[in-house]
């Protein structure tokens, strides 16, 4: 009898269909792409980790002049807007350590009181000046998105405070969806520029009577991408949240330079700064995909400044003897920096001032 014919198993090479050439190429391309993506990711991750280690080991938190005299600001009153978190909180903490009486002007009073309590515990003392020479901390409600709130805040401050040595315009809104303030202004322009414009003007008399005194304005390097469109300051014809933020920061610089011109001879100085890229909650309106958040958090930890590092220029301009009498300048990392021509246009600065006076109701 003939031998039974054996069936080859399914996995036998003799039963496989030979892949077509295009299939081989596609498979190879996918493998190559996967390898390249993985390699790039690991390289980027390795680079971030390496830089993070260098930052952690080789770079401490910079302190003003390596640690300013504890009593440098004793007897001085400082108002900081948006002082309950981020740059404002870090600025408040350092100026308190230097002995200043710090007024926190914040929109959310409950959050401000919570932050103030934390600061008092960190400094080791209650309301009054403690043994280490830290200053007093006061909380007041101030909503820069409401001209009514700004006026009420200033009335109360002028009644209660005999002097004001430093005003730090720190609070800000960053790249929010289109919305309007209580008075109908585009939110970023309304808070970042107009709210602070009114606040500063209403407190100028007290600042002048307290001279020598200082005004510090927090802007951003992103001013470079902004433009002042007098035909659409309220962004009703078109709205781009990034452009409008840059516009408001350009307005901060133009306001500072025009104010410096108007304050000549008064012994009140005003300077503007950019803090750099700082890890704060200012970017809460920025959407980051869920899968990208771990990498973003790692990158921000490695490359972004801490709030204390970002606050150093504000602290420097508010307290350092080195900038006594300096006015109308732009600073970064405690050094004067150059501005683009559009931020030094005197005619635009004057026109913006005149229009801002009408918008906030100083002139009618």
């Amino acid at each position: 009898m003939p031998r039974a014919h054996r069936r080859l198993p399914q996995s036998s090479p003799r039963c496989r269909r030979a892949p077509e050439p295009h299939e081989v190429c596609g498979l190879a391309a996918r493998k190559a792409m996967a390898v390249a993506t993985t390699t790039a990711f690991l390289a980027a991750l390795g680079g971030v980790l390496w830089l993070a280690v260098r930052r952690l080991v080789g770079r401490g938190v910079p302190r003003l002049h390596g640690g300013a005299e504890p009593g440098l600001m004793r007897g001085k009153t400082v108002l900081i807007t948006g002082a309950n978190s981020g740059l404002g909180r870090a600025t408040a903490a350092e100026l308190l350590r230097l002995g200043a009486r710090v007024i926190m002007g914040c929109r959310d009073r409950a959050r401000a009181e919570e932050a103030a309590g934390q600061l008092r515990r960190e400094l080791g003392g209650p309301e009054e000046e403690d043994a280490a020479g830290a200053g007093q901390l006061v909380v007041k409600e101030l909503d820069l998105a409401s001209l009514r709130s700004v006026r009420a805040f200033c009335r109360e401050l002028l009644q209660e405070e005999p002097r004001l040595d430093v005003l730090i315009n720190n609070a800000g809104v960053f790249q929010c969806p289109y919305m309007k303030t209580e008075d109908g202004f585009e939110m970023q322009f309304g808070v970042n520029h107009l709210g602070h414009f009114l606040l500063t003007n209403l407190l100028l008399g007290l600042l002048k009577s307290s001279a020598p005194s200082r005004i510090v304005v927090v802007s951003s390097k992103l001013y470079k991408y902004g433009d002042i469109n007098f035909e659409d300051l309220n962004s009703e014809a078109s709205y781009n949240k990034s452009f409008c933020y840059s516009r408001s920061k350009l307005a901060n610089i133009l306001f500072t330079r025009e104010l410096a011109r108007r304050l000549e001879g008064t012994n009140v100085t005003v300077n503007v700064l950019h803090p750099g890229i700082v890890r704060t909650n200012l970017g809460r309106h920025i959407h980051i995909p869920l899968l990208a958040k771990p990498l973003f958090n790692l990158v921000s930890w490695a490359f972004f400044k801490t709030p204390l590092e970002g606050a150093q220029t504000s602290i420097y301009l508010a307290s350092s003897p080195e900038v006594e009498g300096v006015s109308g300048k732009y600073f970064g990392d405690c050094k004067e920096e150059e501005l683009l021509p559009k931020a030094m246009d005197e005619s635009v600065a004057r026109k913006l001032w005149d229009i801002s006076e009408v918008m906030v109701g100083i002139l009618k």
Side-chain angles (χ1 to χ4, degrees), residues 46-258:
V48 168
L49 289 173
W50 178 73
L51 287 170
V53 171
R54 280 193 62 188
R55 174 186 174 90
L56 188 64
V57 175
R59 180 185 175 190
V61 175
R63 293 283 178 151
L64 187 59
H65 306 307
E69 292 294 326
L72 180 63
M73 295 294 287
R74 185 174 289 116
K76 296 186 181 297
T77 297
V78 181
L79 167 60
I80 307 173
T81 65
N84 61 288
S85 64
L87 287 174
R89 186 188 186 282
T91 303
E94 288 301 292
L95 292 177
L96 280 167
R97 289 189 179 96
L98 296 179
R101 169 184 167 85
V102 175
I103 301 172
M104 301 171 65
C106 304
R107 179 179 58 84
D108 190 323
R109 190 178 186 91
R111 289 177 58 192
E113 291 286 4
E114 181 181 356
Q118 292 171 351
L119 286 171
R120 292 181 184 118
R121 288 191 292 273
E122 289 172 12
L123 294 171
E127 299 265 351
E128 301 301 324
E129 188 173 310
D130 64 12
Q136 187 181 13
L137 189 60
V138 179
V139 174
K140 289 188 178 295
E141 187 174 334
L142 170 63
D143 184 358
L144 290 160
S146 165
L147 299 183
R148 175 181 49 81
S149 174
V150 174
R151 292 181 185 278
F153 171 87
C154 290
R155 280 196 301 270
E156 183 177 326
L157 190 79
L158 292 172
Q159 289 172 358
E160 297 178 358
E161 300 294 333
R163 63 182 299 111
L164 180 61
D165 299 277
V166 182
L167 167 62
I168 303 179
N169 291 338
N170 166 83
V173 179
F174 179 70
Q175 294 193 13
C176 61
Y178 187 78
M179 57 182 75
K180 290 185 176 181
T181 67
E182 178 181 285
D183 305 280
F185 305 127
E186 185 274 313
M187 185 63 69
Q188 295 186 87
F189 190 75
V191 170
N192 299 352
H193 171 61
L194 292 174
H196 281 121
F197 179 87
L198 178 60
L199 176 76
T200 305
N201 274 280
L202 293 178
L203 296 179
L204 274 182
L206 185 57
L207 286 160
K208 289 177 181 178
S209 66
S210 307
S213 54
R214 304 181 184 188
I215 301 169
V216 179
V217 179
V218 179
S219 182
S220 167
K221 270 189 174 181
L222 293 176
Y223 86 87
K224 298 176 181 179
Y225 306 103
D227 196 9
I228 304 298
N229 179 6
F230 289 109
E231 302 302 317
D232 190 29
L233 282 179
N234 218 30
S235 302
E236 292 177 332
S238 64
Y239 179 72
N240 178 289
K241 61 183 182 181
S242 299
F243 170 81
C244 287
Y245 177 75
S246 297
R247 170 190 286 173
S248 71
K249 296 290 103 177
L250 175 59
N252 289 157
I253 298 172
L254 292 166
F255 161 69
T256 298
R257 290 179 58 81
E258 175 62 12

Side-chain angles (χ1 to χ4, degrees), residues 269-335:
T269 62
V270 55
N271 292 289
V272 63
L273 68 102
H274 75 83
I277 305 176
V278 186
R279 295 197 306 274
T280 70
N281 64 355
L282 190 64
R284 58 187 175 274
H285 294 293
I286 303 298
H287 174 70
I288 300 171
L290 185 62
L291 294 177
K293 281 189 176 180
L295 182 58
F296 174 81
N297 291 337
L298 184 59
V299 169
S300 67
W301 181 78
F303 293 103
F304 295 5
K305 291 180 179 180
T306 66
L308 180 55
E309 291 169 340
Q312 289 305 303
T313 307
S314 293
I315 299 163
Y316 174 75
L317 292 175
S319 63
S320 175
E322 293 179 4
V323 289
E324 186 174 349
V326 176
S327 192
K329 304 300 182 182
Y330 174 69
F331 285 81
D333 292 328
C334 301
K335 294 178 291 188

